[in-house]
Amino acid sequence: MSFIQTLVEDHVAILTIDRPKALNALNSEVLSDLETAVDGLDLDTVRAVIITGAGEKSFVAGADIGEMSALSKEEGEAFGKRGNDVFRKIEQLPVPVIAAVNGFALGGGNELAMSCDIRICSENAVFGQPETGLGITPGFGGTQRLARLVSPGYAKQLLYTAKNIKAPEALRIGLVNAVYAPEELMPQAIKMAQTIAANAPIAVRACKKAVNEGLEENMDDAIRLEERLFGACFETEDQVEGMRAFLAKEKHAPYQNK
Ligand code: DAK
């Protein structure tokens, strides 16, 4: 039995982390199951992914403290690499990934959410990097992604104080894009995923690549990257149909990923 439930409908995949006894904390098995679920996505069909947590209380309450408590230095580094490899795979999935944060997103939970392209959350969501209070640093990319997503100063405040923040503050600092009533979170995540899935898949993938890879480059190289990706969209069936329909004042045919 897997700790990840996968549901695919209408080009949208929903991956639910399902370990409610430990508030969906990430142990090695959950990480392996998550990687298997991500590897198993049929990217010919899936155009957007949602990651969420089972239950109403927690997205992911962090890496598993019980499992980490007895690790040696070498094992700690290996555990960090394990999580980083899986989260990097999520970050580099060709299709957009939305984190629907339905409660606690602490430590590895916040790090998982930050590996996704877009974060939305419920009103009861709580974010934080409690690691320094446990005698460790974040180990699944938290120091790097947090400093890039919010200001370096705010990231350092969260890292050094180990204090959690609630949904409105996460919204204020740009860690999440929107906050919803708990019962609205998944419908809104699905609506956003379906909107993405209805757009031309080659163009959407190119946007993800342009933003992610461009941010690692200087502006001249980043702009060149955008030019190449922009050029590659032309002569695709979807570009031809999208522009034909606009000029004919018609609704375009469903995009084919071609
Ligand atoms: N690990 C393991 N079990 C956890 C857990 C976690 N992170 N969080 C919660 N649980 C378990 C609790 O132990 C409890 O289990 P039982 O006692 O029922 O068996 C069950 O979930 C329910 O939790 P509570 O009874 O505590 O529920 P409350 O509502 O009272 O509190 C809470 C909810 C989320 C505020 C509290 O559970 C809590 O503070 N949890 C720990 C949150 C936390 O500190 N998370 C960050 C973990 S550190 C690295 C690699 C990775 C990382 C760092 C370094 N390297 C390799 C360098 C990542 C680190 C982290 O993520």
Side-chain angles (χ1 to χ4, degrees), residues 69-114:
S69 62
L71 298 182
S72 65
K73 284 185 182 178
E74 291 72 23
E75 290 165 338
E77 193 170 329
F79 187 59
K81 178 166 169 32
R82 184 83 194 92
N84 275 327
D85 288 350
V86 178
F87 288 10
R88 194 80 174 117
K89 200 172 259 191
I90 291 168
E91 189 168 48
Q92 293 179 326
L93 258 184
V95 298
V97 185
I98 300 167
V101 178
N102 56 312
F104 293 113
L106 302 177
N110 192 38
E111 292 169 300
L112 173 60
M114 291 192 295

mmCIF file of all heavy atoms in Angstrom, residues 69-114:
data_model
loop_
_atom_site.group_PDB
_atom_site.id
_atom_site.type_symbol
_atom_site.label_atom_id
_atom_site.label_comp_id
_atom_site.label_asym_id
_atom_site.label_seq_id
_atom_site.Cartn_x
_atom_site.Cartn_y
_atom_site.Cartn_z
ATOM 1 N N SER A 69 15.915 11.131 14.256
ATOM 2 C CA SER A 69 16.532 11.325 15.575
ATOM 3 C C SER A 69 17.793 10.474 15.780
ATOM 4 O O SER A 69 18.677 10.869 16.537
ATOM 5 C CB SER A 69 15.510 11.029 16.683
ATOM 6 O OG SER A 69 15.099 9.679 16.594
ATOM 7 N N ALA A 70 17.882 9.344 15.096
ATOM 8 C CA ALA A 70 19.015 8.448 15.339
ATOM 9 C C ALA A 70 20.038 8.446 14.203
ATOM 10 O O ALA A 70 20.931 7.593 14.163
ATOM 11 C CB ALA A 70 18.479 7.027 15.550
ATOM 12 N N LEU A 71 19.945 9.400 13.289
ATOM 13 C CA LEU A 71 20.835 9.367 12.122
ATOM 14 C C LEU A 71 22.252 9.815 12.474
ATOM 15 O O LEU A 71 22.449 10.740 13.274
ATOM 16 C CB LEU A 71 20.301 10.271 11.002
ATOM 17 C CG LEU A 71 18.932 9.928 10.388
ATOM 18 C CD1 LEU A 71 18.599 10.902 9.253
ATOM 19 C CD2 LEU A 71 18.900 8.491 9.868
ATOM 20 N N SER A 72 23.232 9.175 11.854
ATOM 21 C CA SER A 72 24.619 9.644 11.945
ATOM 22 C C SER A 72 24.795 10.796 10.955
ATOM 23 O O SER A 72 23.898 11.076 10.145
ATOM 24 C CB SER A 72 25.572 8.501 11.557
ATOM 25 O OG SER A 72 25.370 8.177 10.187
ATOM 26 N N LYS A 73 25.996 11.441 11.003
ATOM 27 C CA LYS A 73 26.248 12.544 10.053
ATOM 28 C C LYS A 73 26.079 12.073 8.607
ATOM 29 O O LYS A 73 25.462 12.747 7.784
ATOM 30 C CB LYS A 73 27.686 13.070 10.221
ATOM 31 C CG LYS A 73 27.838 13.929 11.456
ATOM 32 C CD LYS A 73 29.224 14.531 11.533
ATOM 33 C CE LYS A 73 29.298 15.318 12.827
ATOM 34 N NZ LYS A 73 30.535 15.938 13.139
ATOM 35 N N GLU A 74 26.657 10.904 8.317
ATOM 36 C CA GLU A 74 26.588 10.403 6.933
ATOM 37 C C GLU A 74 25.146 10.083 6.561
ATOM 38 O O GLU A 74 24.682 10.389 5.459
ATOM 39 C CB GLU A 74 27.446 9.128 6.772
ATOM 40 C CG GLU A 74 28.941 9.343 6.878
ATOM 41 C CD GLU A 74 29.428 9.656 8.305
ATOM 42 O OE1 GLU A 74 28.724 9.288 9.286
ATOM 43 O OE2 GLU A 74 30.502 10.276 8.435
ATOM 44 N N GLU A 75 24.437 9.467 7.495
ATOM 45 C CA GLU A 75 23.045 9.110 7.199
ATOM 46 C C GLU A 75 22.185 10.367 7.057
ATOM 47 O O GLU A 75 21.275 10.419 6.231
ATOM 48 C CB GLU A 75 22.472 8.220 8.313
ATOM 49 C CG GLU A 75 23.071 6.826 8.329
ATOM 50 C CD GLU A 75 22.787 6.067 9.620
ATOM 51 O OE1 GLU A 75 22.500 6.715 10.664
ATOM 52 O OE2 GLU A 75 22.879 4.826 9.595
ATOM 53 N N GLY A 76 22.490 11.395 7.872
ATOM 54 C CA GLY A 76 21.760 12.659 7.772
ATOM 55 C C GLY A 76 21.935 13.278 6.400
ATOM 56 O O GLY A 76 20.975 13.723 5.769
ATOM 57 N N GLU A 77 23.179 13.286 5.927
ATOM 58 C CA GLU A 77 23.435 13.869 4.603
ATOM 59 C C GLU A 77 22.720 13.063 3.514
ATOM 60 O O GLU A 77 22.132 13.633 2.583
ATOM 61 C CB GLU A 77 24.949 13.908 4.345
ATOM 62 C CG GLU A 77 25.290 14.767 3.153
ATOM 63 C CD GLU A 77 26.797 15.032 3.024
ATOM 64 O OE1 GLU A 77 27.494 15.084 4.057
ATOM 65 O OE2 GLU A 77 27.252 15.189 1.880
ATOM 66 N N ALA A 78 22.748 11.725 3.684
ATOM 67 C CA ALA A 78 22.091 10.864 2.685
ATOM 68 C C ALA A 78 20.575 11.089 2.707
ATOM 69 O O ALA A 78 19.930 11.122 1.648
ATOM 70 C CB ALA A 78 22.405 9.388 2.965
ATOM 71 N N PHE A 79 20.003 11.294 3.911
ATOM 72 C CA PHE A 79 18.563 11.551 4.019
ATOM 73 C C PHE A 79 18.226 12.887 3.338
ATOM 74 O O PHE A 79 17.225 13.005 2.623
ATOM 75 C CB PHE A 79 18.141 11.569 5.494
ATOM 76 C CG PHE A 79 16.650 11.672 5.723
ATOM 77 C CD1 PHE A 79 15.782 10.717 5.218
ATOM 78 C CD2 PHE A 79 16.127 12.725 6.465
ATOM 79 C CE1 PHE A 79 14.406 10.811 5.434
ATOM 80 C CE2 PHE A 79 14.749 12.833 6.685
ATOM 81 C CZ PHE A 79 13.893 11.873 6.166
ATOM 82 N N GLY A 80 19.078 13.888 3.550
ATOM 83 C CA GLY A 80 18.887 15.180 2.889
ATOM 84 C C GLY A 80 18.916 15.024 1.375
ATOM 85 O O GLY A 80 18.076 15.572 0.664
ATOM 86 N N LYS A 81 19.861 14.235 0.880
ATOM 87 C CA LYS A 81 19.971 14.036 -0.569
ATOM 88 C C LYS A 81 18.732 13.318 -1.107
ATOM 89 O O LYS A 81 18.218 13.656 -2.185
ATOM 90 C CB LYS A 81 21.238 13.248 -0.907
ATOM 91 C CG LYS A 81 21.370 12.961 -2.385
ATOM 92 C CD LYS A 81 22.740 12.499 -2.787
ATOM 93 C CE LYS A 81 22.787 11.959 -4.223
ATOM 94 N NZ LYS A 81 21.887 12.566 -5.180
ATOM 95 N N ARG A 82 18.254 12.353 -0.328
ATOM 96 C CA ARG A 82 17.058 11.600 -0.745
ATOM 97 C C ARG A 82 15.880 12.562 -0.978
ATOM 98 O O ARG A 82 15.210 12.529 -2.000
ATOM 99 C CB ARG A 82 16.720 10.599 0.372
ATOM 100 C CG ARG A 82 15.589 9.680 0.092
ATOM 101 C CD ARG A 82 16.072 8.484 -0.730
ATOM 102 N NE ARG A 82 14.935 7.780 -1.281
ATOM 103 C CZ ARG A 82 14.418 8.036 -2.488
ATOM 104 N NH1 ARG A 82 14.937 8.940 -3.261
ATOM 105 N NH2 ARG A 82 13.373 7.348 -2.933
ATOM 106 N N GLY A 83 15.641 13.417 0.037
ATOM 107 C CA GLY A 83 14.548 14.382 -0.090
ATOM 108 C C GLY A 83 14.804 15.373 -1.214
ATOM 109 O O GLY A 83 13.912 15.674 -2.009
ATOM 110 N N ASN A 84 16.030 15.871 -1.287
ATOM 111 C CA ASN A 84 16.350 16.853 -2.327
ATOM 112 C C ASN A 84 16.155 16.284 -3.730
ATOM 113 O O ASN A 84 15.669 16.972 -4.622
ATOM 114 C CB ASN A 84 17.795 17.336 -2.169
ATOM 115 C CG ASN A 84 17.886 18.472 -1.161
ATOM 116 O OD1 ASN A 84 16.968 19.274 -1.046
ATOM 117 N ND2 ASN A 84 18.982 18.536 -0.420
ATOM 118 N N ASP A 85 16.544 15.020 -3.918
ATOM 119 C CA ASP A 85 16.390 14.410 -5.248
ATOM 120 C C ASP A 85 14.913 14.352 -5.644
ATOM 121 O O ASP A 85 14.548 14.645 -6.787
ATOM 122 C CB ASP A 85 16.990 12.998 -5.274
ATOM 123 C CG ASP A 85 18.518 13.028 -5.238
ATOM 124 O OD1 ASP A 85 19.099 14.127 -5.392
ATOM 125 O OD2 ASP A 85 19.129 11.953 -5.035
ATOM 126 N N VAL A 86 14.067 13.974 -4.681
ATOM 127 C CA VAL A 86 12.630 13.865 -4.991
ATOM 128 C C VAL A 86 12.034 15.257 -5.232
ATOM 129 O O VAL A 86 11.287 15.475 -6.191
ATOM 130 C CB VAL A 86 11.869 13.151 -3.843
ATOM 131 C CG1 VAL A 86 10.380 13.084 -4.147
ATOM 132 C CG2 VAL A 86 12.433 11.757 -3.603
ATOM 133 N N PHE A 87 12.398 16.219 -4.389
ATOM 134 C CA PHE A 87 11.817 17.561 -4.526
ATOM 135 C C PHE A 87 12.303 18.232 -5.819
ATOM 136 O O PHE A 87 11.573 18.974 -6.464
ATOM 137 C CB PHE A 87 12.176 18.439 -3.320
ATOM 138 C CG PHE A 87 11.443 18.061 -2.053
ATOM 139 C CD1 PHE A 87 10.709 16.890 -1.972
ATOM 140 C CD2 PHE A 87 11.489 18.883 -0.944
ATOM 141 C CE1 PHE A 87 10.036 16.531 -0.802
ATOM 142 C CE2 PHE A 87 10.815 18.552 0.227
ATOM 143 C CZ PHE A 87 10.095 17.376 0.294
ATOM 144 N N ARG A 88 13.553 17.978 -6.173
ATOM 145 C CA ARG A 88 14.088 18.557 -7.430
ATOM 146 C C ARG A 88 13.342 17.968 -8.625
ATOM 147 O O ARG A 88 13.068 18.648 -9.611
ATOM 148 C CB ARG A 88 15.584 18.256 -7.493
ATOM 149 C CG ARG A 88 16.325 19.046 -8.522
ATOM 150 C CD ARG A 88 16.653 20.451 -8.054
ATOM 151 N NE ARG A 88 17.500 21.122 -9.043
ATOM 152 C CZ ARG A 88 17.137 22.208 -9.700
ATOM 153 N NH1 ARG A 88 15.993 22.803 -9.453
ATOM 154 N NH2 ARG A 88 17.947 22.741 -10.587
ATOM 155 N N LYS A 89 13.013 16.672 -8.511
ATOM 156 C CA LYS A 89 12.255 16.026 -9.584
ATOM 157 C C LYS A 89 10.895 16.701 -9.749
ATOM 158 O O LYS A 89 10.419 16.922 -10.854
ATOM 159 C CB LYS A 89 12.079 14.547 -9.218
ATOM 160 C CG LYS A 89 11.751 13.657 -10.344
ATOM 161 C CD LYS A 89 11.796 12.198 -9.925
ATOM 162 C CE LYS A 89 13.058 11.503 -10.356
ATOM 163 N NZ LYS A 89 13.009 10.048 -10.188
ATOM 164 N N ILE A 90 10.274 17.048 -8.618
ATOM 165 C CA ILE A 90 8.976 17.736 -8.663
ATOM 166 C C ILE A 90 9.156 19.126 -9.283
ATOM 167 O O ILE A 90 8.407 19.539 -10.162
ATOM 168 C CB ILE A 90 8.370 17.826 -7.247
ATOM 169 C CG1 ILE A 90 7.955 16.425 -6.783
ATOM 170 C CG2 ILE A 90 7.195 18.803 -7.192
ATOM 171 C CD1 ILE A 90 7.604 16.329 -5.313
ATOM 172 N N GLU A 91 10.182 19.825 -8.821
ATOM 173 C CA GLU A 91 10.440 21.181 -9.331
ATOM 174 C C GLU A 91 10.695 21.165 -10.834
ATOM 175 O O GLU A 91 10.307 22.084 -11.558
ATOM 176 C CB GLU A 91 11.674 21.742 -8.607
ATOM 177 C CG GLU A 91 11.951 23.187 -8.838
ATOM 178 C CD GLU A 91 12.996 23.699 -7.844
ATOM 179 O OE1 GLU A 91 14.047 23.042 -7.657
ATOM 180 O OE2 GLU A 91 12.749 24.757 -7.232
ATOM 181 N N GLN A 92 11.346 20.097 -11.302
ATOM 182 C CA GLN A 92 11.721 20.029 -12.719
ATOM 183 C C GLN A 92 10.736 19.239 -13.577
ATOM 184 O O GLN A 92 11.002 19.011 -14.759
ATOM 185 C CB GLN A 92 13.118 19.438 -12.852
ATOM 186 C CG GLN A 92 14.183 20.366 -12.266
ATOM 187 C CD GLN A 92 15.582 19.800 -12.352
ATOM 188 O OE1 GLN A 92 15.778 18.584 -12.249
ATOM 189 N NE2 GLN A 92 16.560 20.659 -12.526
ATOM 190 N N LEU A 93 9.613 18.805 -12.993
ATOM 191 C CA LEU A 93 8.589 18.166 -13.830
ATOM 192 C C LEU A 93 8.256 19.132 -14.969
ATOM 193 O O LEU A 93 8.106 20.331 -14.722
ATOM 194 C CB LEU A 93 7.317 17.941 -13.011
ATOM 195 C CG LEU A 93 7.007 16.555 -12.460
ATOM 196 C CD1 LEU A 93 5.649 16.584 -11.764
ATOM 197 C CD2 LEU A 93 7.039 15.478 -13.514
ATOM 198 N N PRO A 94 8.102 18.646 -16.179
ATOM 199 C CA PRO A 94 7.837 19.590 -17.278
ATOM 200 C C PRO A 94 6.516 20.335 -17.130
ATOM 201 O O PRO A 94 6.354 21.412 -17.690
ATOM 202 C CB PRO A 94 7.805 18.687 -18.522
ATOM 203 C CG PRO A 94 8.306 17.361 -18.101
ATOM 204 C CD PRO A 94 8.275 17.266 -16.616
ATOM 205 N N VAL A 95 5.558 19.767 -16.384
ATOM 206 C CA VAL A 95 4.238 20.404 -16.260
ATOM 207 C C VAL A 95 4.129 21.119 -14.915
ATOM 208 O O VAL A 95 4.811 20.751 -13.946
ATOM 209 C CB VAL A 95 3.103 19.364 -16.406
ATOM 210 C CG1 VAL A 95 3.148 18.730 -17.782
ATOM 211 C CG2 VAL A 95 3.175 18.290 -15.321
ATOM 212 N N PRO A 96 3.256 22.153 -14.831
ATOM 213 C CA PRO A 96 3.123 22.894 -13.579
ATOM 214 C C PRO A 96 2.590 22.038 -12.425
ATOM 215 O O PRO A 96 1.767 21.146 -12.633
ATOM 216 C CB PRO A 96 2.117 23.993 -13.924
ATOM 217 C CG PRO A 96 2.208 24.154 -15.398
ATOM 218 C CD PRO A 96 2.485 22.774 -15.932
ATOM 219 N N VAL A 97 3.074 22.352 -11.236
ATOM 220 C CA VAL A 97 2.646 21.658 -10.016
ATOM 221 C C VAL A 97 2.120 22.709 -9.034
ATOM 222 O O VAL A 97 2.794 23.701 -8.755
ATOM 223 C CB VAL A 97 3.813 20.897 -9.363
ATOM 224 C CG1 VAL A 97 3.314 20.078 -8.163
ATOM 225 C CG2 VAL A 97 4.507 19.986 -10.373
ATOM 226 N N ILE A 98 0.912 22.461 -8.523
ATOM 227 C CA ILE A 98 0.286 23.361 -7.550
ATOM 228 C C ILE A 98 0.302 22.668 -6.191
ATOM 229 O O ILE A 98 -0.146 21.524 -6.073
ATOM 230 C CB ILE A 98 -1.186 23.651 -7.937
ATOM 231 C CG1 ILE A 98 -1.264 24.311 -9.316
ATOM 232 C CG2 ILE A 98 -1.874 24.508 -6.871
ATOM 233 C CD1 ILE A 98 -2.681 24.339 -9.902
ATOM 234 N N ALA A 99 0.804 23.347 -5.166
ATOM 235 C CA ALA A 99 0.686 22.811 -3.799
ATOM 236 C C ALA A 99 -0.611 23.371 -3.210
ATOM 237 O O ALA A 99 -0.778 24.587 -3.133
ATOM 238 C CB ALA A 99 1.874 23.247 -2.953
ATOM 239 N N ALA A 100 -1.511 22.479 -2.827
ATOM 240 C CA ALA A 100 -2.745 22.880 -2.133
ATOM 241 C C ALA A 100 -2.505 22.584 -0.659
ATOM 242 O O ALA A 100 -2.639 21.449 -0.205
ATOM 243 C CB ALA A 100 -3.936 22.108 -2.681
ATOM 244 N N VAL A 101 -2.100 23.618 0.067
ATOM 245 C CA VAL A 101 -1.602 23.424 1.441
ATOM 246 C C VAL A 101 -2.783 23.503 2.412
ATOM 247 O O VAL A 101 -3.329 24.566 2.671
ATOM 248 C CB VAL A 101 -0.530 24.498 1.776
ATOM 249 C CG1 VAL A 101 -0.040 24.327 3.198
ATOM 250 C CG2 VAL A 101 0.634 24.402 0.791
ATOM 251 N N ASN A 102 -3.160 22.334 2.924
ATOM 252 C CA ASN A 102 -4.409 22.222 3.687
ATOM 253 C C ASN A 102 -4.162 22.115 5.194
ATOM 254 O O ASN A 102 -4.864 21.374 5.879
ATOM 255 C CB ASN A 102 -5.167 20.967 3.204
ATOM 256 C CG ASN A 102 -4.320 19.712 3.327
ATOM 257 O OD1 ASN A 102 -3.165 19.715 2.913
ATOM 258 N ND2 ASN A 102 -4.854 18.657 3.887
ATOM 259 N N GLY A 103 -3.179 22.836 5.714
ATOM 260 C CA GLY A 103 -2.901 22.766 7.156
ATOM 261 C C GLY A 103 -1.414 22.971 7.388
ATOM 262 O O GLY A 103 -0.784 23.806 6.719
ATOM 263 N N PHE A 104 -0.829 22.180 8.300
ATOM 264 C CA PHE A 104 0.589 22.373 8.624
ATOM 265 C C PHE A 104 1.492 22.132 7.414
ATOM 266 O O PHE A 104 1.380 21.108 6.735
ATOM 267 C CB PHE A 104 1.022 21.408 9.738
ATOM 268 C CG PHE A 104 0.368 21.696 11.065
ATOM 269 C CD1 PHE A 104 -0.536 20.801 11.623
ATOM 270 C CD2 PHE A 104 0.652 22.865 11.756
ATOM 271 C CE1 PHE A 104 -1.145 21.067 12.844
ATOM 272 C CE2 PHE A 104 0.056 23.144 12.975
ATOM 273 C CZ PHE A 104 -0.851 22.247 13.523
ATOM 274 N N ALA A 105 2.379 23.083 7.167
ATOM 275 C CA ALA A 105 3.437 22.911 6.159
ATOM 276 C C ALA A 105 4.718 23.321 6.865
ATOM 277 O O ALA A 105 5.194 24.455 6.735
ATOM 278 C CB ALA A 105 3.176 23.773 4.934
ATOM 279 N N LEU A 106 5.243 22.405 7.649
ATOM 280 C CA LEU A 106 6.390 22.717 8.503
ATOM 281 C C LEU A 106 7.626 21.971 8.011
ATOM 282 O O LEU A 106 7.523 20.831 7.554
ATOM 283 C CB LEU A 106 6.078 22.314 9.945
ATOM 284 C CG LEU A 106 4.832 22.990 10.550
ATOM 285 C CD1 LEU A 106 4.565 22.473 11.959
ATOM 286 C CD2 LEU A 106 4.973 24.504 10.553
ATOM 287 N N GLY A 107 8.770 22.597 8.130
ATOM 288 C CA GLY A 107 10.013 21.931 7.756
ATOM 289 C C GLY A 107 9.920 21.367 6.349
ATOM 290 O O GLY A 107 9.675 22.094 5.384
ATOM 291 N N GLY A 108 10.096 20.046 6.247
ATOM 292 C CA GLY A 108 10.021 19.387 4.942
ATOM 293 C C GLY A 108 8.696 19.625 4.234
ATOM 294 O O GLY A 108 8.633 19.540 2.999
ATOM 295 N N GLY A 109 7.639 19.940 4.970
ATOM 296 C CA GLY A 109 6.343 20.236 4.351
ATOM 297 C C GLY A 109 6.374 21.563 3.622
ATOM 298 O O GLY A 109 5.892 21.678 2.489
ATOM 299 N N ASN A 110 6.958 22.566 4.268
ATOM 300 C CA ASN A 110 7.117 23.855 3.586
ATOM 301 C C ASN A 110 8.089 23.709 2.421
ATOM 302 O O ASN A 110 7.901 24.298 1.351
ATOM 303 C CB ASN A 110 7.625 24.912 4.583
ATOM 304 C CG ASN A 110 7.529 26.323 4.028
ATOM 305 O OD1 ASN A 110 6.572 26.655 3.342
ATOM 306 N ND2 ASN A 110 8.528 27.135 4.314
ATOM 307 N N GLU A 111 9.111 22.887 2.604
ATOM 308 C CA GLU A 111 10.093 22.678 1.526
ATOM 309 C C GLU A 111 9.448 21.981 0.325
ATOM 310 O O GLU A 111 9.752 22.299 -0.831
ATOM 311 C CB GLU A 111 11.282 21.885 2.063
ATOM 312 C CG GLU A 111 12.102 22.709 3.066
ATOM 313 C CD GLU A 111 13.126 21.878 3.819
ATOM 314 O OE1 GLU A 111 12.726 20.921 4.523
ATOM 315 O OE2 GLU A 111 14.325 22.173 3.709
ATOM 316 N N LEU A 112 8.549 21.037 0.602
ATOM 317 C CA LEU A 112 7.836 20.386 -0.496
ATOM 318 C C LEU A 112 6.966 21.407 -1.227
ATOM 319 O O LEU A 112 6.961 21.474 -2.460
ATOM 320 C CB LEU A 112 6.971 19.233 0.046
ATOM 321 C CG LEU A 112 6.034 18.576 -0.961
ATOM 322 C CD1 LEU A 112 6.803 17.976 -2.138
ATOM 323 C CD2 LEU A 112 5.189 17.479 -0.287
ATOM 324 N N ALA A 113 6.227 22.211 -0.457
ATOM 325 C CA ALA A 113 5.361 23.224 -1.087
ATOM 326 C C ALA A 113 6.195 24.173 -1.946
ATOM 327 O O ALA A 113 5.773 24.582 -3.036
ATOM 328 C CB ALA A 113 4.600 24.000 -0.015
ATOM 329 N N MET A 114 7.390 24.528 -1.459
ATOM 330 C CA MET A 114 8.233 25.473 -2.216
ATOM 331 C C MET A 114 8.841 24.833 -3.462
ATOM 332 O O MET A 114 9.325 25.545 -4.348
ATOM 333 C CB MET A 114 9.335 26.033 -1.312
ATOM 334 C CG MET A 114 8.794 26.954 -0.230
ATOM 335 S SD MET A 114 10.076 27.894 0.621
ATOM 336 C CE MET A 114 11.003 26.599 1.439
#
